[in-house]
Amino acid sequence: MTNNKRKNRGNKNKEVTMTPSNEKDTPIQDYEDDDIEEMQEADLKKLIRTLRSSQKQILELHKSLMDKIENLSRENEILRRNQNETKQLVQQETVIVTEVKNSIDQMKNTIESLTNRMGEAEERISDLEDREQERIQSDQRKEEEIRNLKHIVGNLQDTIKKPNIRVLGVPEGMEREKGLEGLFSEILAENFPGLEKDREILVQEAHRTPNKHDQKRSSPRHVVIKLSTVKHKEKILKCAREKRQIPLRGSPIRLTADFSSETLKARREWRDIAQVLRENNCQPRILYPAKLSFVNEGEIKTFHCKQKLKEFVATRPALQKMLKDVLHTETQKHGHQYERR
């Protein structure tokens, strides 16, 4: 029995001593208390070293696991913080996007309101332009009516004044002895003896114009003689044109037809042109009531307005050269008058 026990112990000892050269890889074996008692001292020391090495490995492994757990905790905290920050950023972006959307909606509403107001303003402007155009057309019609009325009134005045003769240059007060009718008879007797004996020439009315004498006026007022017929007036004026110089008691006077203010204005507008034509021997005359007549290339030409004259002059190079300056001046005058209006 004792020998068998020793053999068994020897076998157990052999089992204990059968350890690989690398202690780190040696697995930890389970030992019974009886086995440990029967172990040799060397085997015990070896076992202790193995246990200590295993304990050290376990501690290192534990430490490594704790470090990893700590790192994971930190990473988890960082992730949690990042998630919170991301949530905050998302919330902020959501607020910003909402504000932007609200701002865009407000801008859209503002633009729509402005567009509507612009449309209303354009309608008002269009309405005002239409009204202005209507006013301009109305003013043009009124101006045309006024011109027509002035023309009609001028024609009526010219018709009424057609038998009249206007005497210019008679000194103030000379009519005190004989009166204006007696002075006119004296003019006929002194300058046209044949006409003075014509009993058919009758003076219906004689007066000065204007009626009231202005003391500041240097020239005497005109004398207007109204005859019974137009034929007698034209006969007297024809004789006056032929004689040219008409004196009255040594003072030069002038006999002309009596016209309305509009006709006088129209006749004056021919004055500069007639002067140039007279200087070039074109025999200009201003016919009743305000027509220009002159001789061109052996023919008598008559014009009622300057536009017709300009159209005719454009076809006559010599006449165009003659009247170039005066017609250009007239065009400038009309341009300045239009600008002032």
Side-chain angles (χ1 to χ4, degrees):
M1 288 287 292
T2 305
N3 291 330
N4 291 332
K5 289 181 180 179
R6 287 179 179 175
K7 287 181 180 180
N8 292 331
R9 288 177 181 173
N11 292 331
K12 289 180 181 179
N13 290 336
K14 288 179 182 179
E15 291 176 0
V16 171
T17 55
M18 290 176 64
T19 57
S21 60
N22 191 357
E23 293 180 358
K24 290 183 180 181
D25 297 330
T26 302
I28 299 173
Q29 299 179 2
D30 295 330
Y31 294 96
E32 298 292 335
D33 292 337
D34 294 336
D35 296 333
I36 293 173
E37 291 178 358
E38 294 178 359
M39 282 183 181
Q40 295 181 0
E41 184 179 355
D43 293 332
L44 286 173
K45 289 181 180 179
K46 194 172 184 179
L47 177 61
I48 290 170
R49 285 196 301 272
T50 302
L51 290 173
R52 286 178 178 174
S53 177
S54 300
Q55 184 180 11
K56 186 177 181 180
Q57 290 178 2
I58 290 169
L59 291 174
E60 290 177 354
L61 180 61
H62 179 265
K63 184 179 180 181
S64 175
L65 288 173
M66 293 303 293
D67 291 340
K68 288 182 178 180
I69 290 170
E70 187 177 355
N71 290 334
L72 288 173
S73 298
R74 282 197 298 269
E75 291 177 0
N76 186 37
E77 180 66 21
I78 291 171
L79 286 174
R80 187 181 63 79
R81 290 178 182 176
N82 289 338
Q83 286 178 351
N84 292 333
E85 290 178 357
T86 304
K87 287 181 180 179
Q88 292 177 357
L89 289 174
V90 170
Q91 291 176 352
Q92 292 176 358
E93 289 179 355
T94 304
V95 173
I96 292 172
V97 169
T98 303
E99 292 177 352
V100 170
K101 286 182 178 179
N102 293 334
S103 298
I104 291 173
D105 291 338
Q106 291 178 357
M107 291 176 65
K108 286 181 179 180
N109 294 333
T110 303
I111 292 172
E112 185 177 357
S113 176
L114 289 174
T115 302
N116 293 333
R117 293 171 70 178
M118 286 178 63
E120 293 175 358
E122 288 176 355
E123 290 179 359
R124 291 180 182 177
I125 292 171
S126 178
D127 185 49
L128 289 174
E129 288 177 347
D130 293 339
R131 292 182 182 179
E132 180 65 14
Q133 188 63 30
E134 290 176 359
R135 187 190 65 77
I136 292 172
Q137 293 176 354
S138 177
D139 290 344
Q140 290 175 347
R141 287 193 297 269
K142 288 178 181 178
E143 289 178 359
E144 184 66 23
E145 290 175 0
I146 290 171
R147 282 195 295 269
N148 292 336
L149 288 173
K150 285 183 178 180
H151 183 67
I152 292 171
V153 171
N155 288 339
L156 289 173
Q157 290 178 342
D158 289 334
T159 301
I160 295 171
K161 295 183 176 185
K162 200 166 186 179
N164 294 357
I165 292 178
R166 187 175 285 254
V167 185
L168 288 66
V170 177
E172 293 284 345
M174 188 177 284
E175 67 273 18
R176 290 173 186 169
E177 297 178 4
K178 298 182 179 180
L180 293 175
E181 294 182 9
L183 279 178
F184 186 68
S185 298
E186 186 177 339
I187 292 169
L188 295 181
E190 185 176 347
N191 294 280
F192 318 113
L195 294 178
E196 195 272 334
K197 296 177 182 179
D198 190 345
R199 299 300 178 184
E200 294 182 357
I201 298 177
L202 300 175
V203 177
Q204 291 187 342
E205 183 183 341
H207 64 275
R208 281 190 183 267
T209 181
N211 294 328
K212 188 175 181 180
H213 177 55
D214 186 0
Q215 297 294 335
K216 296 180 181 179
R217 185 184 177 95
S218 59
S219 60
R221 292 175 294 168
H222 297 176
V223 176
V224 178
I225 305 296
K226 184 175 182 179
L227 301 177
S228 57
T229 63
V230 176
K231 180 178 69 173
H232 295 148
K233 180 204 75 171
E234 292 176 349
K235 186 184 293 187
I236 293 170
L237 292 179
K238 182 180 179 182
C239 293
R241 284 194 298 270
E242 291 173 352
K243 189 175 183 183
R244 294 188 178 180
Q245 295 181 353
I246 311 296
L248 175 61
R249 299 180 186 179
S251 299
I253 62 173
R254 189 156 61 93
L255 304 181
T256 66
D258 188 25
F259 297 105
S260 65
S261 58
E262 291 295 322
T263 302
L264 282 173
K265 181 180 177 181
R267 290 173 69 88
R268 290 193 192 102
E269 290 180 354
W270 291 117
R271 188 177 296 170
D272 294 339
I273 297 173
Q275 180 63 30
V276 175
L277 293 171
R278 190 175 294 108
E279 291 172 358
N280 289 273
N281 300 319
C282 293
Q283 304 174 24
R285 290 184 61 192
I286 300 178
L287 304 178
Y288 182 88
K291 296 181 288 184
L292 176 67
S293 174
F294 62 91
V295 177
N296 179 254
E297 297 179 358
E299 296 181 0
I300 298 176
K301 301 294 181 182
T302 304
F303 300 93
H304 297 268
C305 64
K306 289 183 180 179
Q307 184 60 36
K308 295 295 182 182
L309 174 63
K310 290 178 182 179
E311 293 174 2
F312 176 76
V313 168
T315 63
R316 300 291 192 276
L319 196 60
Q320 187 175 11
K321 183 178 180 180
M322 183 192 307
L323 298 175
K324 179 178 66 175
D325 293 337
V326 67
L327 289 177
H328 180 68
T329 303
E330 291 292 332
T331 303
Q332 286 183 330
K333 285 181 181 178
H334 287 295
H336 292 319
Q337 290 176 358
Y338 179 77
E339 289 177 359
R340 284 197 294 270
R341 290 178 183 176

